[in-house]
Amino acid sequence: MKNTLFTLAVFTCLAVSAQSTWKSDGAHSKVGFAITHLMISEVEGHFGEFDITATASDAFENAEFMVDIKTTSIDTDNERRDNHLRSADFFEVETYPSITFKTTGYEKTGDKTFTITGDLTMHGVTKPVTLEGKVNGIITDQRSNKLKAGLKLTGTVNRLEFGVGGDTPTLGDDVELTINLEMAQQ
């Protein structure tokens, strides 16, 4: 009897802590940012092409993210500005076609909140960053019968630390990140 209970406990622990792969749904996800312009207003934009994969439990805990964002896909609703952002003055997309992020740490901070730390590589520079996360909800998709999770990640990066754009009074140094994700369990 003791062996049966022990075996059952082990399998229960393994099932609870099992990790699976989750992929972002590009049609229902957005990698957005905002930066101060002329110290009086905020300009928003987003990256239209990205691949975000996570490994997490069914409750989307202990998440590890792998992110690849295509710098050529930057969009601020202004073609002239977008072309300038793609140039050597900012993202230098020919030389640095991707922004990447890989999780190095996860900490649960509340019932549906967490922080992740990781290595962000942008413009050839890798620095540690911390993002705040919130699980908006988890459902079973009626079509696939697999789990889907809604998440929001936020944080701030200093663009000068990554060599993006020069030191100028027309732009703020800090870039606010807002990433809304719909992740599908694979």
Side-chain angles (χ1 to χ4, degrees), residues 24-33 46-47 50 52 65 132 134 136 149-154 177-183:
S24 62
D25 177 345
H28 299 103
S29 299
K30 188 172 190 175
V31 176
F33 61 88
H46 70 277
F47 292 93
F50 52 87
I52 301 174
F65 289 87
E132 301 293 322
K134 180 182 178 198
N136 295 325
L151 306 167
K152 183 174 188 174
L153 303 172
T154 58
L177 304 175
T178 302
I179 304 163
N180 288 294
L181 295 172
E182 186 173 301
M183 303 289 289

Side-chain angles (χ1 to χ4, degrees), residues 2 6 11 21 48-51 56 73 77 90 96 128 130 133 164:
K2 285 184 182 180
F6 177 75
F11 281 117
T21 301
E49 294 178 41
F50 52 87
D51 180 39
S73 71
D77 292 327
F90 288 93
Y96 307 106
T130 300
V164 176

Side-chain angles (χ1 to χ4, degrees), residues 1-10:
M1 181 70 167
K2 285 184 182 180
N3 285 342
T4 304
L5 288 175
F6 177 75
T7 303
L8 182 59
V10 168

